[in-house]
Amino acid sequence: MRTHTPSSDAFALLLIFFPTIYAAFPNAPNNYTPGRGDCPSTRPSVRSAGSLSRNETSWLEKRRNTTVEYMGDLLRRCNITDFDAEQYIAQHQTNASALPNIAIAASGGGYRALLNVGGAIQAFDSREINSTASGHLGGLLQSATYLAGLSGGGWLVGSLYVNNFTTITDLRNGNVSSTWQFDNSIFEGPATGRIQIFDTAQYFDNIYKEVGSKKDGGFETSVTDYWGRALSYQLINATGGGPAYTWSSIQLQDSFANGASPMPVLVADGRAPDEKLIPSNTTIYEFNPYEFGTWDPTTFGFVPLEYLGSNFTAGSLPEGAGCVRGFDNAGFIMGTSSSLFNQFLLNANQTDLPDVAKIFINKVLGTISNENNDIADYTPNPFYHYRNDTSTNAQSQRLTLVDGGEDLQNIPLHPLIQPDRKVDVIFAIDSSADTENYWPNGTSLVATYERSLNTSAGNIANGTSFPSVPDVNTFVNLGLNQKPTFFGCNSSNTSTITPLIIYIPNTPYVYHSNVSTFDPTYNITERNAILQNGYEVATMGNGTVDPQWPTCVGCAILSRSLERTETTVPDVCRQCFQRYCWNGATNSTTPPPYNPAYKSRQVLAVKSAAAERIGGMLWSLVFVSLSALWAVS
């Protein structure tokens, strides 16, 4: 049994000598434009969601074995009094079903979520300097089986996996090219050291032509195509934002294929183009490296992600039909999970965006019909005529998706509570902007809980189980949104597999990280402050707010495993559960405006990018030249 974690220096040397060993691949046949060609000898088809895929099942055998060493080391450092956690893991290491099965869920919330969850992942990553010191939680990432994200949390997940399963520190320090450089907004494009207004013009022109090429190739496009391409310049370390990088290529990474990293999962909601509000029983779709599809009883099927864009009918490809590859562009998928930001684009003329950006956006909107303006278009629908009796979308050749948080489930818990995945404990990092001042109040947990109770009207719950949670007023009145809280501590209250939820809400430790979801610009100091605050939130100030927090995290990780192995719960764990488990108390009265105080005495003094902004007067100077450029493109 290992008693130390891999050093950051050793990992850095590995990347120097084997720089592509962990990389995603630019394996699309024609950059951003999907390509049609021959199918493999085993033609792809839609499978039923009645079980895990063969690929995921095979991968799990490797992943669960890989987590043993890291989990033993993490639990040893959690210092669970009178309990040898490392020996417990060693004792059960040959029986993966007895071991803890951990997942991490990264909420939406734009750049606020990207950075806040980024700080938490930094705290959970044993490769980070000092992350395995006393009071820290390094190794939790290496112990997790799944890492799910949506919207801004999805950007975080995508940034890690498309960029060599890198570290947050490398992304922050610019060691991964120009990624995570947010002082230039997404509406300006990356800084190159030349005159920015001309760089911005070229940036928009490149995006416009790439999406236009996809359309010319016979594929439907939407605003999300442009949004995803722009995101890629900030999130993917590759020339031109990596137009050929695909989400399915993650399965080819050595680190993922060998089970050395968790499975990344992104979430989106189904929505018809003319549908204005997303109902709570909307179909929830997931993207993992192997597949795209849904566990919901409506469609209840998955298609191989690599061949998304092919003309599936009734679950298979017609005889003689070829296969499409490259539709699953990594930026497009990250953009799909965050398509809420399309609304920002649609209202560009009412903002202080540079004139050059407004010109581009208006040109884009002029080529797209109103019904397409806030969706991601996945035409041809891979589930066309599949499950005609239950799927509301089976008769349509179009499949349109939106931001995974639009059904109020802003934490991507749905993929993680599927009974087939048998997840024990979920670290739910919540960076939502539920209150008027952009702090979370438990809305996402309530939405997931209520959906899990919906066993009528098509049984959308479909066997999922979620622990009981209180109403959002109780979250605020009892301070459940100011500190970590455990939900589902007593598993005997449910009759089916129910994970323990470790709810970790964004709250100010060293910085007021409640920035607006739609703020596109962050200087280096503010970016780093939000990251640091996220680290402090996840570790409770590195154990300074509660020295027993690491112990209680260890107890939560072990909880379901101890039940399965009929092992006596250590006394210190009982104390932890008494302290952090929601006890069922409620206070549903309307709370006063929520303005949390700092948790730490060491507060960071930061001047935000918003305060530094001057406006876009100079951008108007390029209006004529840009108009001429795009008039002929």
Side-chain angles (χ1 to χ4, degrees), residues 423-583:
V423 172
D424 288 334
V425 56
I426 303 173
F427 288 79
I429 318 297
D430 194 2
S431 306
S432 303
D434 300 325
T435 71
E436 61 182 7
N437 292 319
Y438 311 130
W439 298 107
N441 67 2
T443 292
S444 181
L445 296 189
V446 173
T448 301
Y449 172 59
E450 290 178 346
R451 194 180 200 269
S452 74
L453 301 178
N454 187 349
T455 56
S456 59
N459 186 27
I460 198 67
N462 202 29
T464 58
S465 181
F466 196 77
S468 177
V469 298
D471 60 274
V472 296
N473 286 350
T474 292
F475 267 89
V476 177
N477 288 327
L478 300 188
L480 304 181
N481 65 333
Q482 295 189 43
K483 62 180 182 61
T485 303
F486 300 170
F487 295 98
C489 293
N490 187 353
S491 64
S492 64
N493 289 338
T494 59
S495 58
T496 57
I497 297 174
T498 307
L500 176 65
I501 306 297
I502 301 180
Y503 180 60
I504 304 179
N506 184 27
T507 196
Y509 268 75
V510 295
Y511 184 67
H512 269 87
S513 53
N514 57 323
V515 294
S516 169
T517 303
F518 295 102
D519 192 340
T521 307
Y522 299 86
N523 60 42
I524 299 299
T525 307
E526 185 178 23
R527 180 202 63 180
N528 293 350
I530 299 175
L531 280 169
Q532 182 62 35
N533 193 76
Y535 193 113
E536 302 285 332
V537 168
T539 62
M540 295 194 76
N542 302 324
T544 59
V545 172
D546 179 6
Q548 275 201 320
W549 172 237
T551 297
C552 295
V553 168
C555 291
I557 290 172
L558 286 165
S559 179
R560 297 292 194 260
S561 176
L562 295 177
E563 291 177 3
R564 286 195 296 273
T565 59
E566 299 182 346
T567 301
T568 301
V569 177
D571 287 340
V572 69
C573 290
R574 297 183 188 278
Q575 296 169 18
C576 283
F577 296 148
Q578 183 71 26
R579 186 183 315 172
Y580 284 102
C581 292
W582 176 54
N583 61 9

Side-chain angles (χ1 to χ4, degrees), residues 392-409:
T392 58
N393 207 56
Q395 304 305 314
S396 175
Q397 292 185 338
R398 295 186 69 199
L399 176 64
T400 52
L401 307 180
V402 294
D403 190 297
E406 288 200 27
D407 61 352
L408 299 183
Q409 296 186 82

